[in-house]
Amino acid sequence: MEPQVSKTLGDVCVLGFGQTALSVCTYLMAQGPSRVHSVTLFGGAQTHEGEKCAEFEALGVHVVTGTDEVCGTYSLCIASPGVPDTSALFLSAAAHSQEIIGEPEFAFRESPEKWIAITGTNGKTTTTTLVTKILQTAGQKAISVGNIGRTITDELSSRTPDEWFVAELSSFQLATIARLHPKTAALLNITPDHLEWHGTLAAYAAAKERIFENFDIHDLAVVSDLDEYCRACAQRLEARHIRVCHLNTEDPKTEHAAFIRDGVLVVRRSGKETELIRAADLKIHGLHNALNALAASALALEAGVDPVSVRHALLDFEALEHRIEPVREVSGVLYVNDSKATNTDAVEKSLTAFPTRGVVLLLGGHDKGTDLGSLAAAVNRSCKTAICYGAAGPRIAEALEVEKTKQHSDLHVVSAPHMKEAFEAATKRAMAGDVVLLSPACSSFDEFSNMAERGRTFKHYVSELAAQEGVF
């Protein structure tokens, strides 16, 4: 698809040194000198010359490393999501540019038709993938892009006019939007996360809410009723006369709603109800996943998908890798990879997926410094054993023990230095009928390069255990 916004971009500045910056620079350099006069990349103070620098320079990009000071004058600056809008690099670039935006905003300006957007602290990836699945089941072209791992700009040159962009957008990406205006969008939840980047929970929530910034009376916003920040957002949207589909575990009695009634997923639009499937028939487990399915269904119905296609897609949809992903059963114990649960709220939601099993929980990793009170209460209520490992292990173990005393629970709290030892401890304590759940509540960076490496390592441990037990 040729860019729908064909005006000259002039001299462009790009911030960052990772995949997003590379994708943006590749796209810009392909536009030709009549549209893009020059591209200058500022990597930041921690970057230096080397292979990565050479990769950018091979495109024809002028690269500046080792400094947060931007020099020159630019028509446009495009910032990677890893560059906070409060950082010295961002502020310096803003002072030297006519406008500074993020990569999703840039991609939208280049190709603004057929966008659906999803944000929230948890459930974004599942909901985004499911919306894409529903659209495809209905015979429409659709691709999942954004924070889900596929840089939007990479898909611009091959995009066709009839293809949907289903964009998972993080708070980082939303912080720098200006004109981005999807056809419909969802805010799934707001719980504490990334406070080291945003500073406060209120600032984090405000960044998330920007997904609706350009909505008008013709648009539908799908918003959870289940936390105070989302409820406040819905009130503000309705004050702007924007239609809000209230996402809830029970009927909110609103004109537009997505909820569960007598175990059935129901979406109501302008007072007219569409019954979908029983929540128990979903292959993705837990109440939170029923809510994700409802959000995805509401978005797809708003995009014009027929209910039959929605039902078929919901029934077919499998668990995503690293998100409550059943690995296999060994000696009657189910091993589940939930490595994507990098914050406490995600773990609390995951624990609801196993109401009839004893849970042996693996918690730990890089310590974000998050408050552990709510997590400790949930773990003491729901688990038989918690094995705490890694850099955050001691602090988590201490919080669990304090809560154990308050609740007088029977939780066994075990400490281990690394995930390998934690896994071995779990296998010794789990009995037939139990679930061993890797749901760490932490990022992975103390031991692994990312959460996917952590999850695949866990699955490798399970495979080794199965071989030892003679399970093939």
Side-chain angles (χ1 to χ4, degrees):
M1 176 186 286
E2 289 298 320
Q4 296 185 28
V5 183
S6 58
K7 70 176 184 179
T8 300
L9 295 172
D11 296 306
V12 183
C13 166
V14 178
L15 306 183
F17 215 55
Q19 183 55 50
T20 297
L22 183 60
S23 298
V24 170
C25 288
T26 301
Y27 178 84
L28 289 170
M29 295 307 297
Q31 299 306 297
S34 62
R35 186 159 191 248
V36 177
H37 301 161
S38 70
V39 178
T40 304
L41 176 79
F42 289 87
Q46 303 304 313
T47 58
H48 53 80
E49 294 185 9
E51 272 186 40
K52 193 69 176 179
C53 185
E55 191 173 6
F56 285 101
E57 290 176 336
L59 296 171
V61 175
H62 176 59
V63 181
V64 180
T65 59
T67 179
D68 284 336
E69 292 295 323
V70 171
C71 55
T73 302
Y74 303 96
S75 307
L76 178 68
C77 177
I78 304 168
S80 297
V83 181
D85 56 2
T86 56
S87 67
L89 179 63
F90 188 99
L91 295 173
S92 180
H96 288 80
S97 306
Q98 293 179 22
E99 185 179 21
I100 185 166
I101 59 175
E103 185 265 342
E105 171 73 18
F106 174 68
F108 177 81
R109 294 185 186 187
E110 294 294 288
S111 185
E113 303 301 323
K114 286 185 171 286
W115 281 62
I116 296 172
I118 296 100
T119 196
T121 305
N122 296 303
K124 298 186 296 297
T125 299
T126 297
T127 305
T128 300
T129 308
L130 184 48
V131 171
T132 303
K133 168 79 171 178
I134 295 170
L135 289 164
Q136 292 171 345
T137 300
Q140 300 194 40
K141 289 186 177 180
I143 187 171
S144 299
V145 295
N147 194 59
I148 201 166
R150 181 176 278 147
T151 307
I152 310 171
T153 307
D154 278 341
E155 305 302 322
L156 290 176
S157 59
S158 60
R159 192 185 192 199
T160 57
D162 59 344
E163 183 176 47
W164 285 95
F165 272 179
V166 186
E168 175 188 327
L169 299 177
S170 69
S171 56
F172 306 157
Q173 293 169 315
L174 288 166
T176 49
I177 69 163
R179 301 179 202 161
L180 191 145
H181 186 170
K183 176 177 175 56
T184 185
L187 173 59
L188 302 174
N189 43 62
I190 297 287
T191 58
D193 202 9
H194 301 302
L195 302 190
E196 75 283 2
W197 202 91
H198 291 283
T200 65
L201 181 55
Y204 170 65
K208 291 286 191 186
E209 189 173 335
R210 295 197 69 193
I211 199 168
F212 306 121
E213 185 153 310
N214 296 304
F215 269 34
D216 57 38
I217 60 173
H218 304 293
D219 300 316
L220 179 73
V222 179
V223 183
S224 172
D225 279 346
L226 301 180
D227 67 71
E228 61 177 313
Y229 289 97
C230 286
R231 288 192 295 271
C233 172
Q235 290 174 0
R236 286 188 286 270
L237 290 169
E238 289 172 332
R240 290 163 52 192
H241 305 291
I242 292 166
R243 293 178 298 142
V244 175
C245 177
H246 292 261
L247 183 64
N248 208 315
T249 54
E250 55 189 31
D251 189 352
K253 309 295 185 183
T254 53
E255 185 179 13
H256 311 280
F259 58 96
I260 304 169
R261 183 173 58 213
D262 299 328
V264 176
L265 306 186
V266 181
V267 175
R268 184 164 56 235
R269 299 168 63 235
S270 301
K272 182 179 179 181
E273 290 186 357
T274 301
E275 291 192 350
L276 297 169
I277 67 169
R278 295 191 63 79
D281 292 333
L282 288 166
K283 295 177 182 176
I284 48 177
H285 303 298
L287 179 60
H288 63 293
N289 272 326
L291 291 167
N292 293 337
L294 279 167
S297 300
L299 293 169
L301 289 168
E302 178 66 13
V305 175
D306 62 283
V308 173
S309 294
V310 176
R311 293 186 189 105
H312 282 308
L314 292 178
L315 290 169
D316 287 345
F317 190 71
E318 304 274 0
L320 300 178
E321 187 178 19
H322 312 304
R323 193 68 186 99
I324 320 184
E325 175 197 6
V327 179
R328 67 187 307 171
E329 195 166 286
V330 182
S331 300
V333 177
L334 177 63
Y335 289 82
V336 177
N337 167 30
D338 193 36
S339 182
K340 193 171 174 61
T342 58
N343 58 64
T344 58
D345 185 65
V347 179
E348 291 178 49
K349 287 182 168 64
S350 298
L351 291 175
T352 68
F354 308 101
T356 62
R357 286 181 177 263
V359 177
V360 179
L361 179 64
L362 276 64
L363 288 163
H366 173 71
D367 195 345
K368 291 183 175 182
T370 309
D371 180 82
L372 299 175
S374 180
L375 174 70
V379 172
N380 270 275
R381 286 194 305 269
S382 305
C383 300
K384 60 183 287 185
T385 304
I387 302 173
C388 308
Y389 71 92
R395 192 168 77 91
I396 295 173
E398 181 181 4
L400 294 178
E401 292 285 9
V402 169
E403 185 64 28
K404 177 180 177 178
T405 301
K406 289 181 183 177
Q407 290 190 22
H408 304 289
S409 78
D410 296 324
L411 178 71
H412 295 282
V413 181
V414 180
S415 295
H418 305 101
M419 193 173 80
K420 175 66 171 174
E421 292 84 358
F423 180 84
E424 291 169 348
T427 62
K428 291 175 182 176
R429 287 164 174 78
M431 302 170 60
D434 289 346
V435 58
V436 171
L437 174 64
L438 172 68
S439 193
C442 301
S443 58
S444 58
F445 304 127
D446 63 331
E447 191 174 348
F448 304 98
S449 58
N450 52 51
M451 71 83 192
E453 182 188 354
R454 174 172 62 189
R456 289 174 188 141
T457 300
F458 175 80
K459 292 196 287 185
H460 175 68
Y461 294 159
V462 177
S463 295
E464 287 185 329
L465 176 66
Q468 292 168 13
E469 298 289 328
V471 180
F472 300 101

